[in-house]
Amino acid sequence: EETLERRRRVLGPDHPEVGSTITNLGVAYAGIGDTEKTRQDFEESLEFSRRVEGEDSPGTIIGLLNLSALLTNEGFQEAAWPYNDHAWELGQRIMGPGNRITLAAGLVRLDLLLRPIDTVRPEADLQQAETLLRQMQTDAKASLGEHHSTLAWIAAGRAFVLLHRGQAEQALVGMDEATAIMSQQHGPN
């Protein structure tokens, strides 16, 4: 927090480094489990991005995505949806469908659709998740290539949907695909 105050004083309150420092503080607080301070910093970072960069900016998308992911992980899915909807829409429109920020918004969106994982999901959620995964797979392959690690997360998501549908054998094939992609990226472990 001292670094943040120093940057505000030296660089000015609207300097981009101030916004990055606010976000980084939120990430640091998340790392030690202080979700209240994390949320405060993520909200301040989003407000900063909107004020300094504008609504249609990568910083605003990241701010929305950070809040959506935090709320999702804390079990507040209903509160997370508006942030994710807006991040997804802005990402698609401004950054493009295959952009890493847009794909990250898609992965958080998938998480929202499939939580809580210990309950039976309505078919509508599974269908929406499957549609999202197909779209993300097409976008990721087009922009990141056939073997990018993002495709492993997408394959694992498809396997999760299949498992929820009771299609365990097909789910195993999907997990094997995810493992193969990760092995290409990081080596077998």
Side-chain angles (χ1 to χ4, degrees):
E1 292 185 15
E2 289 177 27
T3 302
L4 175 60
E5 292 312 312
R6 190 171 343 134
R7 287 192 175 170
R8 282 184 172 136
R9 190 177 61 252
V10 173
L11 301 172
D14 292 341
H15 192 278
E17 286 297 317
V18 172
S20 295
T21 303
I22 297 167
T23 301
N24 291 339
L25 273 172
V27 171
Y29 283 125
I32 60 170
D34 191 334
T35 56
E36 185 57 37
K37 286 191 176 184
T38 301
R39 185 172 182 171
Q40 289 170 2
D41 286 340
F42 283 174
E43 287 172 346
E44 184 180 353
S45 175
L46 175 60
E47 187 277 323
F48 177 92
S49 293
R50 284 177 161 157
R51 186 182 77 250
V52 174
E53 299 174 25
E55 186 66 24
D56 292 353
S57 69
T60 297
I61 298 168
I62 291 169
L64 292 163
L65 184 55
N66 283 340
L67 280 166
S68 176
L70 175 67
L71 291 166
T72 300
N73 288 332
E74 291 300 309
F76 301 107
Q77 287 83 3
E78 292 304 314
W81 271 111
Y83 293 108
N84 186 270
D85 283 343
H86 197 51
W88 178 250
E89 183 272 323
L90 285 175
Q92 293 282 325
R93 185 167 50 82
I94 296 165
M95 306 301 289
N99 180 275
R100 291 176 188 198
I101 295 171
T102 306
L103 291 169
L107 290 172
V108 173
R109 189 174 200 77
L110 178 66
D111 196 12
L112 278 163
L113 285 168
L114 298 177
R115 280 191 188 229
I117 58 175
D118 59 343
T119 63
V120 175
R121 302 306 304 163
E123 182 60 31
D125 284 356
L126 294 175
Q127 184 60 45
Q128 191 176 354
E130 205 166 55
T131 300
L132 174 65
L133 286 162
R134 275 195 300 275
Q135 177 185 354
M136 288 174 58
Q137 182 178 34
T138 300
D139 295 343
K141 281 183 177 179
S143 65
L144 303 174
E146 291 283 326
H147 304 290
H148 194 274
S149 59
T150 300
L151 291 166
W153 289 104
I154 294 168
R158 282 196 348 260
F160 195 73
V161 169
L162 290 167
L163 193 60
H164 269 285
R165 287 201 164 129
Q167 300 169 344
E169 284 187 34
Q170 289 134 321
L172 284 173
V173 170
M175 287 309 294
D176 287 345
E177 180 185 341
T179 302
I181 294 168
M182 291 307 285
S183 291
Q184 288 174 348
Q185 292 292 312
H186 305 289
N189 283 337

